[in-house]
Amino acid sequence: MSLLHEKQVRVLKLFERLSVAASGEPVPADHRDARLASVGLLPNSAFFSCFLPEHLNEAKSLIEIFCAANDFDDFVHLAEQARTFVNSTLFAFAAEVAILHRADSRGVIVPPIQEIFPTGSSPPTPSSGHSPSPPPSPRETRVMSSSMSTRQATS
């Protein structure tokens, strides 16, 4: 097994069941790596957006921590801890950016977001009351497409 393959397997495990990772048992604060002290502010039930300054600042902090890791093993160690208490979507964003920018993860493929969160771009949580919308019924689809064609014909 090649070194790149081993790295790929370790990275994929970071994103496995990520939508429930932060709702599980987090690493106790006194056992966390001290470098992670500035992250974990955004609750897991919150919707993460890199367009909101406070969300972006936390994401930047986590990206910088991940990118400053001593080596690939150190990066994975930090990421394994962070995924237990950092907002899941923020974690996925920061981990993906770090993986794409770290020299020691060159060649490692980041899983597509729709595979990380198959129910939508943000993980639903029991406390948020958010659940994915069901797909439109065949009747709704026909109504939507007929109204679109009517608008196109009039313009």
Side-chain angles (χ1 to χ4, degrees):
M1 189 178 327
S2 72
L3 182 60
L4 180 60
H5 178 74
E6 288 175 24
K7 287 181 177 181
Q8 184 68 58
V9 169
R10 292 178 74 189
V11 163
L12 290 175
K13 285 182 182 177
L14 292 175
F15 294 100
E16 220 171 61
R17 296 180 41 94
L18 189 58
S19 60
V20 295
S23 61
E25 195 63 36
V27 174
D30 59 335
H31 288 95
R32 289 182 195 157
D33 191 296
R35 294 172 287 180
L36 296 171
S38 64
V39 296
L41 306 174
L42 182 67
N44 199 45
S45 60
F47 179 80
F48 167 74
S49 171
C50 60
F51 298 107
L52 296 173
E54 60 274 8
H55 295 192
L56 183 58
N57 289 336
E58 185 172 348
K60 279 183 186 177
S61 294
L62 189 55
I63 292 165
E64 290 168 0
I65 292 165
F66 286 162
C67 286
N70 299 326
D71 55 25
F72 189 77
D73 290 333
D74 190 34
F75 161 70
V76 171
H77 166 75
L78 288 167
E80 286 173 341
Q81 285 193 11
R83 78 186 297 263
T84 68
F85 66 91
V86 171
N87 176 286
S88 298
T89 314
L90 186 151
F91 171 82
F93 175 79
E96 288 176 8
V97 170
I99 290 165
L100 294 172
H101 286 86
R102 288 184 60 87
D104 58 6
S105 60
R106 192 163 286 131
V108 174
I109 299 168
V110 177
I113 195 73
Q114 64 270 21
E115 289 181 16
I116 298 171
F117 300 113
T119 59
S121 62
S122 145
T125 59
S127 61
S128 69
H130 175 267
S131 60
S133 302
S137 69
R139 182 183 182 292
E140 290 172 319
T141 305
R142 283 193 304 274
V143 170
M144 287 188 291
S145 60
S146 68
S147 68
M148 288 177 69
S149 58
T150 304
R151 269 190 256 140
Q152 290 172 349
T154 59
S155 39

